[in-house]
Amino acid sequence: KLGLDLSRLVVQDNPMTMEDNLEILKRFVRLPGSLYPSNLFSCIIVDSVAGLCPASELEEGKDLGSIRGSEQAKTLSAFFRQLGQSLGEAVIFWINQVRVTQTLVGGRTIAREEPPSGKAIHHASIAEFRLTRESDIIEEERGLKIQRGWRVSLKAEKNNSWRGHKGDRASFDIITEND
């Protein structure tokens, strides 16, 4: 249980473009027409950053080969500059996937993990955590193996709130309820 009051939960689903999503996020964070925080929300979750599609990618007649991967990172960087210090007490959680990219350097292939948003969120964030699934939690019930959850590890990749705790790790179980 997360302790959320579901009667106060607001869900904004599927705006067309990344820019639409960011405008909605700005409205959640600021008073309309103001640079001051609205204090309307204390926690905002953006899921998923990888699914945010810049408007330039949706233009008619655009070839897939002409789409630049850095477009998402540039749009997010501009958004963070516009948002500035107007967050107030709100905390924004950005859920982002990591992709493995391969580059050829000096005749050798090197694999790197990289988020689709580039370093934009990394530079704008106070803390960054990596959640990795270690294993499945499986129970046997009446001769059947049933997945009950996952064993995960959490690593602090960046932590400006509690200096000295970068690299700290914790492992825990996420158990699903099958009612």
Side-chain angles (χ1 to χ4, degrees):
K1 306 278 186 220
L2 294 174
L4 294 175
D5 181 358
L6 295 180
S7 67
R8 297 180 57 192
L9 182 67
V10 176
V11 176
Q12 181 66 46
D13 191 24
N14 266 351
M16 192 64 176
T17 67
M18 177 181 206
E19 292 81 359
D20 293 343
N21 274 290
L22 297 178
E23 281 303 315
I24 291 166
L25 185 57
K26 267 195 250 181
R27 278 188 263 138
F28 283 169
V29 170
R30 287 187 192 159
L31 290 170
S34 170
L35 296 176
Y36 300 106
S38 69
N39 295 324
L40 187 59
F41 297 98
S42 57
C43 177
I44 299 170
I45 299 171
V46 179
D47 180 26
S48 121
V49 174
L52 297 176
C53 183
S56 60
E57 289 186 19
L58 300 175
E59 291 175 7
E60 292 259 348
K62 199 129 197 206
D63 293 334
L64 285 178
S66 66
I67 297 169
R68 297 176 53 210
S70 62
E71 202 65 37
Q72 189 183 42
K74 286 179 183 177
T75 305
L76 279 172
S77 292
F79 170 74
F80 291 131
R81 285 191 303 273
Q82 289 174 9
L83 198 60
Q85 299 298 315
S86 64
L87 275 177
E89 298 292 316
V91 174
I92 301 177
F93 289 94
W94 300 86
I95 298 175
N96 204 356
Q97 292 81 26
V98 176
R99 308 281 191 254
V100 175
T101 60
Q102 295 184 348
T103 54
L104 192 63
V105 177
R108 292 184 358 197
T109 302
I110 298 174
R112 292 187 325 203
E113 289 184 340
E114 188 175 284
S117 59
K119 295 282 187 186
I121 292 176
H122 175 78
H123 290 302
S125 65
I126 293 171
E128 183 177 338
F129 299 94
R130 178 182 292 246
L131 188 69
T132 308
R133 184 171 65 182
E134 293 177 351
S135 62
D136 294 334
I137 297 173
I138 308 227
E139 292 179 359
E140 199 164 321
E141 193 174 291
R142 288 183 251 136
L144 297 173
K145 291 184 177 182
I146 300 171
Q147 182 176 343
R148 295 289 183 201
W150 305 273
R151 179 87 178 156
V152 296
S153 67
L154 183 72
K155 179 184 176 196
E157 297 281 332
K158 174 183 177 182
N159 196 340
N160 292 345
S161 295
W162 300 290
R163 299 241 186 243
H165 290 279
K166 180 182 174 190
D168 283 359
R169 293 177 180 267
S171 291
F172 54 92
D173 296 338
I174 298 176
I175 305 298
T176 58
E177 291 183 16
N178 298 328
D179 294 340

